[in-house]
Amino acid sequence: MQQSVKITRTSDGVNLAWATAGSGPTLIKASNWLSHLQFDLDSPVWRHWIYFLAGHFHLIRYDERGCGMSDWEVSDLAQERWFDDFDAIVKVAKPVKPFILLGISQGGAAAMNYAARYPEQVSHLILYGAYARGWNERGDIEDVQRRRAVNQLTRLGWGQNNPVYRQLFTSRFVPDATREQLGWFNELCRKTTTPENATRLMDERGRVNVTDLLSRVQVPTLVLHSNEDEAVPLTEGKLLATHIPNAQFVMLESRNHILLEDEPAWARFKEAVLAFTGVTPQPGAEDPIFAALSPRERDILQGIADGKTNIEIGRQLFISEKTVRNHITRIFEKLGVQSRAQAIVLAKDKRLRPR
């Protein structure tokens, strides 16, 4: 995927990195924990999000202050700056208005704030895993104690080579992740910000309270939330859907705060977003037959389509030749083919898209 990365400077002197990719209706994604404009494209936790959004929309996204490709050495990380920074990105990007606005997790606060202030500029508001009340504002004493303990461990061990400290945090976001996915997420966190910034940002998330904005959001709104989300409880999604006038609510069957590519909830999310925004899959989209494949199976099928041997595919994916053969057996069963030649023809005719 081709993207263009640029830098803009805020009124208080912070350099924010932002990127554009794809074509179609403009969709601006408010920043959320944790992002890196470049590394996200290779992450098995985030890349399918970026590819889906850029595959159907003109996607504009940015790294929040203190993270990713934006400035790390920042004195002010207060939530009020989230709103100012979103404004700054909109002004410099000059999107076609009205545009679609996406708020994931903490990004929901900035998205709702903008939609309430400038309803004429927003055609649709999409909130996934979002909340109006941070963890310190929900009245759950035990959860507050747990999060404060995790924050303290983060301050002490985030930057160490041993990922155990970061995993205390990341495992709440993707409890059903594979070892590969969790390892990528742990490493992404380390590459994305400092221990001090991570702690400050988590503390700031806890202080969020924008409940007074909900009734002022007058744009068409879609709220999606995982029913067993371990990072943001389902009650927070229901709170948004209840108090934002005429909001649509979709409950997803998942434990993950960040939906993974091979779970049914991800397919349901994509379906709901496209239906809500009135966007149809673009010409040349791959056939739904490949939806049955896991991310690893897709990689192996792509290797077959590229003419690679099992040994070459194994080396590329760091798995044994025997493991490749076992995967190929399952791929053939799922696709209803009996040979590599048939698999290659199917991949090309049905437009298998690289991840």
Side-chain angles (χ1 to χ4, degrees), residues 6 59 86 98 102 109 130 190 210 227 242 257 283 305 310 315 327:
K6 301 177 182 178
L59 173 64
F86 187 88
L102 171 63
R190 187 182 68 82
V210 293
N227 62 331
T242 300
H257 186 57
N310 289 356
R315 287 173 179 169
H327 278 298

Side-chain angles (χ1 to χ4, degrees), residues 33 46 70 106 108 164 241 259 265:
W33 182 288
W46 280 118
S70 295
Q106 154 263 330
V164 65
L259 296 174

Side-chain angles (χ1 to χ4, degrees), residues 280-313:
T280 57
Q282 295 183 0
E286 73 171 26
D287 194 283
I289 191 174
F290 301 119
L293 302 181
S294 70
R296 175 53 55 82
E297 290 167 348
R298 291 178 64 92
D299 290 341
I300 291 174
L301 178 58
Q302 185 63 56
I304 293 173
D306 292 340
K308 292 184 171 64
T309 66
N310 289 356
I311 293 177
E312 291 171 333
I313 294 172

Side-chain angles (χ1 to χ4, degrees), residues 41-226:
L41 298 182
D42 298 321
S43 167
V45 174
W46 280 118
R47 68 184 168 203
H48 54 286
W49 286 80
I50 308 305
Y51 274 75
F52 164 66
L53 295 172
H56 295 87
F57 305 95
H58 174 222
L59 173 64
I60 299 173
R61 61 195 179 102
Y62 61 99
D63 288 333
E64 70 176 310
R65 57 176 58 209
C67 297
M69 297 178 70
S70 295
D71 282 351
W72 285 21
E73 296 183 8
V74 181
S75 60
D76 188 357
L77 294 178
Q79 59 184 281
E80 289 76 16
R81 289 297 183 184
W82 307 347
F83 314 138
D84 296 340
D85 291 348
F86 187 88
D87 278 339
I89 295 299
V90 172
K91 288 175 181 176
V92 72
K94 296 181 173 61
V96 175
K97 299 172 183 176
F99 53 80
I100 302 164
L101 183 48
L102 171 63
I104 299 173
S105 193
Q106 154 263 330
M112 288 183 285
N113 183 288
Y114 192 90
R117 289 183 182 180
Y118 309 110
E120 72 285 354
Q121 297 189 24
V122 179
S123 63
H124 301 78
L125 172 63
I126 303 169
L127 301 170
Y128 168 72
Y131 53 90
R133 303 177 301 179
W135 52 264
N136 202 43
E137 301 290 319
R138 299 171 192 158
D140 188 336
I141 297 176
E142 290 187 2
D143 187 51
V144 169
Q145 292 174 338
R146 284 194 298 268
R147 296 195 186 240
R148 286 177 177 170
V150 170
N151 286 11
Q152 180 61 20
L153 289 173
T154 297
R155 182 178 287 108
L156 296 173
W158 183 270
Q160 295 184 10
N161 289 330
N162 187 338
V164 65
Y165 294 96
R166 296 187 297 279
Q167 192 154 321
L168 284 170
F169 175 82
T170 58
S171 60
R172 290 173 62 90
F173 276 67
V174 280
D176 291 333
T178 63
R179 178 180 297 181
E180 177 197 20
Q181 290 167 329
L182 200 56
W184 262 95
F185 197 17
N186 288 334
E187 187 63 12
L188 177 67
C189 289
R190 187 182 68 82
K191 292 179 177 179
T192 298
T193 195
T194 64
E196 179 186 2
N197 283 355
T199 304
R200 292 167 62 195
L201 288 169
M202 282 191 278
D203 285 341
E204 203 60 37
R205 265 68 161 163
R207 288 190 282 269
V208 169
N209 195 328
V210 293
T211 53
D212 61 315
L213 288 176
L214 303 185
S215 63
R216 294 161 47 196
V217 176
Q218 300 296 316
V219 303
T221 302
L222 173 66
V223 179
L224 307 103
H225 212 101
S226 296

